């Protein structure tokens, strides 16, 4: 029997951290679907046609570290607005969602389009300023020298594109639990997400 947790939200909302923690605490597999779009975006930056890049993508060969850059994030957001790119990535996401033992998928359209039947849906958000500050700290820790204002502009641009596209726009599913992490610690945000998963019938490990 499958058990799917769908976690959506904008960039740097904390959904990645929350998804990894939920997966670990409930013994579920985890798929960061943003990495699929980032991989397609990176291939486009290398000169490949984005639709071909999506149709020939091998998720096993994704190199996460190389994809966590601001340029790749913007490219990902651009290719994600192309309906044929999204269509090419549906099957791999749905197959993962049905894996035995259960799964957590995080992205922008998991609760609305990829897994509308998910047992648990969360929409994780935070103010643009808080998210930009988190992303800026992350980038600085990795040695990327970039101004906070630039990161904030980047976050806003990506939000507008991801929420404004016509195909599978980022939005909260009507039945998703809203989790605003602006003033929460990581521990508090994770605890609230885990409480929602438990309320929906998830079994904690151990
Ligand atoms: O979660 P992320 O920042 O790694 O995602 C990068 C981009 O990919 C994001 O700006 C929009 C796109 N994306 C999407 O359209 N749908 C998803 N399910 C996941 C990501």
């Amino acid at each position: 029997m499958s058990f799917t947790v769908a976690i959506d939200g904008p960039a740097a909302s904390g959904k990645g951290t929350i998804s990894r923690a939920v997966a670990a605490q409930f013994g579920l597999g985890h798929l960061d679907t943003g990495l699929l779009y980032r991989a397609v975006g990176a291939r486009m930056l290398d000169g490949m046609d984005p639709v071909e890049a999506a149709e020939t993508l091998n998720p096993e060969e994704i190199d996460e570290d190389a994809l966590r850059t601001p340029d790749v994030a913007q490219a990902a957001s651009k290719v994600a607005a192309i309906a044929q790119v999204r269509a090419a990535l549906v099957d791999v996401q749905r197959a993962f969602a049905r894996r035995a033992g259960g799964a957590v998928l995080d992205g922008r359209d998991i609760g609305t389009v990829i897994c509308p039947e998910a047992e648990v849906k969360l929409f994780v958000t935070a103010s643009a300023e808080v998210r930009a500050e988190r992303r800026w700290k992350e980038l600085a820790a990795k040695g990327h020298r970039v101004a906070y204002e630039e990161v904030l502009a980047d976050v806003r641009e990506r939000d507008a594109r991801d929420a404004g596209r016509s195909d599978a726009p980022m939005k909260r599913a009507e039945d998703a639990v809203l989790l605003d992490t602006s003033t929460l610690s990581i521990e508090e945000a994770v605890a609230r997400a885990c409480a929602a998963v438990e309320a929906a019938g998830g079994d904690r490990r151990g």
Side-chain angles (χ1 to χ4, degrees):
M1 216 184 70
S2 66
F3 182 81
T4 309
V5 181
I7 303 187
D8 291 303
S13 57
K15 67 184 188 312
T17 305
I18 291 172
S19 300
R20 283 189 293 276
V22 166
Q25 294 201 23
F26 292 85
L28 307 168
H30 173 224
L31 178 64
D32 173 350
T33 64
L35 284 178
L36 302 174
Y37 292 93
R38 283 173 183 259
V40 174
R43 294 175 98 186
M44 179 184 75
L45 293 176
D46 285 342
M48 199 176 199
D49 171 70
V51 175
E52 188 192 341
E55 287 174 348
T56 59
L57 185 72
N58 179 355
E60 310 282 321
E61 285 173 6
I62 286 178
D63 173 10
E64 177 166 355
D65 286 343
L67 301 177
R68 298 262 175 232
T69 70
D71 287 351
V72 172
Q74 285 293 349
S77 171
K78 286 178 188 156
V79 300
I82 304 170
Q84 287 154 287
V85 165
R86 305 199 71 83
L89 301 176
V90 166
D91 287 351
V92 62
Q93 296 176 80
R94 291 204 176 129
F96 192 91
R98 284 192 298 269
R99 74 200 281 282
V104 180
L105 282 82
D106 75 276
R108 303 289 187 291
D109 63 338
I110 308 303
T112 50
V113 173
I114 301 296
C115 304
E117 311 297 331
E119 278 73 13
V120 190
K121 295 182 190 177
L122 295 173
F123 192 84
V124 183
T125 188
S127 71
E129 290 76 12
V130 166
R131 291 186 287 116
E133 194 181 332
R134 288 177 187 158
R135 190 46 51 90
W136 180 80
K137 283 184 181 155
E138 256 172 49
L139 289 168
K142 283 198 257 170
H144 296 284
R145 290 167 64 87
V146 38
Y148 165 80
E149 288 72 23
E150 209 177 300
V151 180
L152 179 60
D154 227 56
V155 158
R156 290 204 167 119
E157 187 183 338
R158 213 139 64 89
D159 282 359
R161 197 185 298 111
D162 295 345
R165 67 182 175 226
S166 55
D167 190 28
M170 166 176 74
K171 72 167 189 240
R172 176 188 174 191
E174 274 175 22
D175 51 351
V177 173
L178 181 67
L179 189 53
D180 186 332
T181 65
S182 301
T183 61
L184 297 181
S185 66
I186 292 173
E187 292 75 19
E188 285 167 330
V190 166
R192 290 194 197 185
C194 287
V197 175
E198 206 157 33
D203 284 328
R204 275 185 207 263
R205 266 186 160 176

